[in-house]
Amino acid sequence: MKAIQRKYFNTYFSIAVMVLLIAIFTMIEPRFLNAANINSLLSDTAPLMIMAAGMTPVLLLGSIDLSIGALCSAANVLVITILLRFLETVEANPGMVVVAAIVAFLLTLIAAIVSGILLGLIHVKTKAPSFIASLAFMSIWASAALLIQNASVFLPQPLWATINWYNISFGPLGLPLLIAFIVIVVYYILLTRTSFGRGVYAIGGNERTARLAGLPVDRIKITVFAMNGFCTALGAIFLMAKARSAAPTAGEAFTLMVISAVVLGGTSLVGGAGSVLNTILGVFIVAMIQNGMNIVGVNVFWQSIVYGAIILIAIAINTDRSSRSFVVK
């Protein structure tokens, strides 16, 4: 009963925060609710939503991945670097643009999945807390991004056809946001309708009991981190497609933003409680804060302060203080 009450409280709390933000930003700047800004808000949400979907089961395990921002940066420059390798080929034969896109996207996704597997393996085999393991990977991927490209890179016009899909829309919803919703639905089914999902919640609730029950704890954890790597790379590809460029620091802000979104959606940092559907609410709250501060003219450096404060407030609200099982996993 208490868990159900907390679930509904988190949902209503997130909705209340969204309504409050809309009211505040609209009073300060009436343009916040105009059609152009709403379309911009929706289009900017897709990468964040995909990465937040991947982070949700990580937090459900009671773990955390601090490397997603750096991995996003590395994937962002990796995909454009691979595409640039096809520039002369595409100029000579425009029909090769599809091959260039498939190869670049697949290699980037595979690299990120491998990164997630390695992070998961180190975490479960060495028993290092995910906080420490992902912190090391954050340093690795931040340096790797700079080694791949040490400055911003723009996609040449002959290669624009590789990302034209990003601008496809179906009424008010663009294809990127629809893909993000599909990712959310897939995660929802995995977490609520499969033994894998039940295992994720069981491990987050009590890992020792999950092991005694015979659950493949290590395999589930590694799979979750691999899936998170996939979502991070997919978000990075979306960022590149939207901007038609890439930068070795493109993902820096996303670590705080993604964790803020998931926690605001009601997922407990202790693990075992939360819903990927509620993550959508958290994503829109974070997107509104970012969009609102930009349109109001708040200094960009204040945004990280705001996201940090959001995480602290959300932790204070979501933490079950009656639990004696709080551990860093």
Side-chain angles (χ1 to χ4, degrees):
M1 181 65 68
K2 186 176 180 180
I4 295 175
Q5 290 175 344
R6 180 171 289 276
K7 175 183 176 182
Y8 284 111
F9 171 79
N10 289 333
T11 301
Y12 294 140
F13 173 76
S14 298
I15 293 174
V17 171
M18 287 179 63
V19 173
L20 181 63
L21 287 173
I22 291 172
I24 292 173
F25 284 127
T26 302
M27 285 190 295
I28 297 174
E29 178 51 75
R31 290 180 301 161
F32 182 74
L33 277 183
N34 66 28
N37 191 55
I38 290 175
N39 286 334
S40 175
L41 178 65
L42 291 175
S43 65
D44 291 344
T45 301
L48 177 60
M49 187 176 296
I50 290 172
M51 285 189 271
M55 180 62 76
T56 300
V58 174
L59 294 187
L60 285 173
L61 288 173
S63 300
I64 197 166
D65 184 356
L66 297 177
S67 68
I68 56 168
L71 178 59
C72 177
S73 295
N76 188 247
V77 291
L78 177 62
V79 66
I80 202 169
T81 300
I82 297 172
L83 285 173
L84 290 174
R85 297 283 185 178
F86 285 89
L87 179 58
E88 292 183 4
T89 303
V90 170
E91 287 177 331
N93 182 7
M96 288 294 291
V97 70
V98 176
V99 175
I102 292 174
V103 171
F105 297 162
L106 279 180
L107 288 179
T108 302
L109 291 170
I110 290 171
I113 291 171
V114 171
S115 171
I117 292 173
L118 290 174
L119 175 55
L121 280 171
I122 291 173
H123 170 47
V124 302
K125 297 303 181 184
T126 67
K127 307 301 179 184
S130 56
F131 174 86
I132 300 299
S134 62
L135 196 62
F137 268 74
M138 179 177 70
S139 177
I140 291 170
W141 282 115
S143 298
L146 289 167
L147 288 171
I148 295 170
Q149 295 286 347
N150 60 8
S152 297
V153 182
F154 293 91
L155 192 68
Q157 189 167 357
L159 292 172
W160 283 6
T162 61
I163 56 172
N164 283 343
W165 52 268
Y166 193 86
N167 297 315
I168 297 174
S169 61
F170 303 91
L173 297 180
L175 179 60
L177 190 57
L178 289 177
I179 294 174
F181 281 132
I182 291 172
V183 172
I184 289 284
V185 170
V186 170
Y187 263 93
Y188 176 76
I189 294 171
L190 280 174
L191 292 172
T192 61
R193 300 289 187 269
T194 67
S195 57
F196 170 80
R198 289 189 288 273
V200 170
Y201 280 97
I203 294 167
N206 193 317
E207 184 174 329
R208 180 175 297 177
T209 301
R211 289 186 185 276
L212 292 174
L215 290 177
V217 173
D218 289 356
R219 187 172 67 197
I220 290 174
K221 282 189 170 186
I222 293 169
T223 302
V224 166
F225 278 103
M227 293 166 61
N228 189 40
F230 171 85
C231 288
T232 302
L234 186 58
I237 291 171
F238 276 32
L239 289 174
M240 185 278 296
K242 182 180 186 300
R244 291 179 179 172
S245 64
T249 57
E252 281 186 353
F254 278 92
T255 300
L256 269 178
M257 289 172 65
V258 169
I259 295 173
S260 298
V262 179
V263 173
L264 277 171
T267 299
S268 172
L269 285 171
V270 181
S275 169
V276 72
L277 291 183
N278 283 353
T279 294
I280 297 175
L281 297 176
V283 167
F284 280 113
I285 289 173
V286 171
M288 282 182 186
I289 292 171
Q290 183 185 39
N291 178 273
M293 287 195 295
N294 287 337
I295 199 171
V296 170
V298 177
N299 190 312
V300 67
F301 296 111
W302 278 97
Q303 293 184 15
S304 292
I305 295 175
V306 172
Y307 297 139
I310 288 171
I311 292 177
L312 290 175
I313 294 170
I315 289 172
I317 292 171
N318 290 334
T319 300
D320 182 2
R321 291 167 182 79
S322 65
S323 173
R324 296 170 180 255
S325 60
F326 183 86
V327 292
V328 178
K329 302 178 184 178

